[in-house]
Amino acid sequence: MINVNIDQRIAEVCPEIKIGLIRANVVNSPTCDDLWKEIEQAAQDITGQYELLAINARPAIAGTRKLYKALGKDPGRYRVASEQLCRRIVKGLGIYRLTTLIDVVNLVSIKSGYAISGLDADKIEGNTLTLGVGEKDEVYHGIGRGLLNIENMPVYRDEIGGIATPTSDEERTKFTDDTTCVQININAFAPEMPIEQAVKWMVELLEKYAQATNIETKIL
């Protein structure tokens, strides 16, 4: 299991933070129909439960937005990934059917409200991640977004730079068809789904759909 350190600046403004960590060997594949049915059901549940303007009041999303504001980042301009997903669903735009690993992470994120970092563990440099605060002009390529301004944004860094934020993970460590080992961080900056439940469910989904083995979990 990788080590995770939390910068004092994060701990001071978000003392209730909990992070669920999962590491496992997996097999990635196109998303199967059974997994997609679970995602479609989750989307229906969100549509029936939330109006568009109520999404950012979900406890997990509101807690992450609060952290952004405390660090000096505009959460309306740089939306949390779970908020982005739920907004697309409620607006009737749907979500993309991608690969098993991406869609398992998206499913747990939709249901829990948590921003979840899904990383190819073999592409992480070193054995320690630090959750800190983005610096001015720090180079970070968000997945499908190009250069992303992460100044004053919570960011996980490995030995050579940033690899994950609640808004978007980095291109360097993203899941690909060839990913065989995952590092998944479930970021609970405020409680919604119990973190133990979110970790357990993530593991069950990885076992069911991604043939997960050698599973390690930890809650910080």
Side-chain angles (χ1 to χ4, degrees), residues 97 171 174:
R97 182 168 175 164
E171 287 279 354
K174 70 182 181 181

Side-chain angles (χ1 to χ4, degrees), residues 80-204:
V80 178
S82 52
E83 181 183 358
Q84 296 174 43
L85 280 169
C86 291
R87 284 176 61 88
R88 283 191 60 87
I89 290 167
V90 172
K91 290 168 73 174
L93 299 175
I95 52 178
Y96 298 110
R97 182 168 175 164
L98 300 166
T99 68
T100 296
L101 294 179
I102 296 171
D103 288 339
V104 162
V105 167
N106 283 346
L107 174 56
V108 178
S109 186
I110 291 166
K111 291 288 285 185
S112 68
Y114 297 132
I116 301 175
S117 305
L119 311 169
D120 187 318
D122 292 327
K123 296 175 183 175
I124 296 172
E125 296 293 333
N127 61 4
T128 300
L129 295 179
T130 298
L131 178 59
V133 183
E135 304 293 341
K136 182 177 175 61
D137 298 325
E138 185 170 355
V139 176
Y140 186 97
H141 297 91
I143 297 173
R145 302 174 67 113
L147 282 172
L148 179 64
N149 175 10
I150 64 167
E151 182 181 7
N152 298 328
M153 190 183 290
V155 57
Y156 285 99
R157 298 185 183 91
D158 65 5
E159 284 187 356
I160 63 175
I163 60 172
T165 73
T167 291
S168 175
D169 292 338
E170 226 273 351
E171 287 279 354
R172 175 165 61 91
T173 50
K174 70 182 181 181
F175 293 150
T176 68
D177 293 345
D178 298 322
T179 297
T180 58
C181 186
V182 295
Q183 173 66 42
I184 296 174
N185 301 352
I186 302 176
N187 301 293
F189 298 114
E192 188 166 332
M193 177 184 289
I195 190 66
E196 295 82 4
Q197 180 181 337
V199 168
K200 182 176 183 290
W201 188 33
M202 180 72 78
V203 167
E204 290 172 350

Side-chain angles (χ1 to χ4, degrees), residues 1 25 29 65 93 103 106 161:
M1 175 61 69
N25 293 112
S29 61
R65 290 173 60 91
L93 299 175
D103 288 339
N106 283 346

